[in-house]
Amino acid sequence: MRMQAADRFAQGASDAEVAVEFRISRMSANRWRRALEACGRQAFISKGPSSEVCKLTDAQLEELQEALK
């Protein structure tokens, strides 16, 4: 989605237009535009999961999977 927003910014879309089109806040659109201007498209490449390793035990994970079935 951020890469598509980068394309829209390159086409001259405003923060407000990108916010509406991608259903994000105007503040987020502004942050994305500033990141794009500062670092280029590389700023939008995923850095992977931001969370820690799963804290559930193997037994808890199995219980969760059964509950979800």
Side-chain angles (χ1 to χ4, degrees):
M1 183 165 67
R2 290 179 185 181
M3 291 297 187
Q4 291 172 336
D7 291 338
R8 291 292 290 128
F9 284 126
Q11 295 167 357
S14 69
D15 293 350
E17 291 169 328
V18 169
V20 169
E21 186 172 336
F22 292 94
R23 301 177 88 181
I24 59 173
S25 70
R26 207 165 155 194
M27 182 181 281
S28 290
N30 180 267
R31 227 174 312 168
W32 290 5
R33 183 185 49 76
R34 285 184 291 134
L36 183 64
E37 290 172 352
C39 303
R41 287 180 166 275
Q42 232 173 349
F44 292 163
I45 295 174
S46 174
K47 294 166 185 71
S50 61
S51 63
E52 296 180 20
V53 177
C54 181
K55 294 180 182 179
L56 298 177
T57 65
D58 289 341
Q60 289 171 322
L61 285 172
E62 287 178 30
E63 186 179 333
L64 176 60
Q65 283 188 333
E66 287 302 315
L68 291 174
K69 287 179 183 176

